[in-house]
Amino acid sequence: MLIGLVRHGKTDWNAKGIIQGQTDIPLNEEGIAQAQALASRLSNEERIWDAVISSDLQRARRTAAIIAERLGIPVLEPDIRLRERYFGEIEGTTEQERLERWGADWREQSVGMESDAEVRARGTEAITDLMKREEARNILVVSHGSFIAQMLKELCADLEDSRLGNLSYSILERQGDAWQPLLHNCTRHLDEIKV
């Protein structure tokens, strides 16, 4: 089984450096173009994806829909467990605002943010359920940057931790009881975008 992990396209909040978390922000024009670029890339590669699933947040759902339409594959029911990390009080803030309010160690402050362990637990549960439900199919999962980063750490412990840009594309293959990365954080499909 293959699982693809795709970060949603850019939003206006991404462009402004505002943490979205579970705030439901739509794709902007560039984000739509990014989703179309990955869809185009995948339509020109060997077909490996049988279906697409996303979180229930609109930026992920729209990205998934654009890809699925181009590939002619079904979109599965969105899964709330694939949502971005809940960032608590810092949702809707810029880096400068976080520094002014909580200081340089804002990540360690008690701001109601969902922990790494909580993100990994719900993500692992979602992936395990997906494997049981769709065991004979390869599924493309459209989700969010912090969520995907945590899942990559959980599923592929030896993988280098790197910032995941909008529309980054990774592929994991199930080999025995473990996941092996076949592609990690690839964005070459974005090279041609002019917005």
Side-chain angles (χ1 to χ4, degrees):
M1 179 179 196
L2 298 177
I3 294 281
L5 296 171
V6 174
R7 184 178 176 206
H8 64 79
K10 188 175 271 188
T11 69
D12 286 344
W13 278 23
N14 288 140
K16 294 174 183 172
I18 298 172
I19 287 189
Q20 293 168 113
Q22 295 186 4
T23 306
D24 202 7
I25 306 299
L27 295 180
N28 63 17
E29 183 181 326
E30 183 178 358
I32 292 168
Q34 290 174 331
Q36 291 168 337
L38 179 58
S40 178
R41 170 187 173 176
L42 296 178
S43 71
N44 290 311
E45 293 180 350
E46 178 185 351
R47 182 181 166 150
I48 59 173
W49 303 115
D50 298 306
V52 181
I53 190 170
S54 72
S55 86
D56 64 326
L57 299 176
Q58 64 179 315
R59 58 193 184 269
R61 285 193 346 258
R62 180 83 188 272
T63 301
I66 290 168
I67 293 168
E69 181 179 354
R70 180 68 182 265
L71 298 182
I73 60 177
V75 177
L76 304 177
E77 190 70 28
D79 189 331
I80 193 171
R81 296 171 298 179
L82 300 174
R83 275 187 174 194
E84 180 59 293
R85 175 194 307 267
Y86 177 64
F87 281 96
E89 294 177 53
I90 65 171
E91 287 192 17
T93 65
T94 64
E95 178 73 15
Q96 186 60 40
E97 289 168 337
R98 292 187 293 279
L99 290 172
E100 289 170 5
R101 186 162 175 195
W102 295 286
D105 65 343
W106 61 264
R107 287 177 180 83
E108 284 75 49
Q109 300 292 321
S110 178
V111 293
M113 186 166 57
E114 188 177 13
S115 72
D116 290 353
E118 290 168 325
V119 173
R120 290 181 187 195
R122 68 176 163 86
T124 299
E125 180 182 90
I127 296 296
T128 300
D129 287 352
L130 192 62
M131 287 170 50
K132 289 175 186 170
R133 250 188 0 258
E134 307 291 339
E135 64 179 312
R137 303 199 310 165
N138 296 328
I139 308 297
L140 197 57
V141 176
V142 180
S143 189
H144 308 267
S146 182
F147 176 86
I148 292 172
Q150 289 303 313
M151 293 315 302
L152 288 170
K153 288 178 188 177
E154 180 70 17
L155 301 175
C156 303
D158 296 334
L159 197 60
E160 176 187 333
D161 185 22
S162 57
R163 185 187 178 284
L164 301 169
N166 290 105
L167 255 295
S168 67
Y169 175 46
S170 300
I171 303 173
L172 307 180
E173 181 178 35
R174 186 74 174 179
Q175 296 177 358
D177 291 337
W179 289 97
Q180 297 299 320
L182 302 181
L183 183 69
H184 177 239
N185 197 18
C186 183
T187 57
R188 70 177 171 83
H189 45 279
L190 301 180
D191 293 345
E192 302 301 315
I193 292 183
K194 309 249 187 307
V195 176

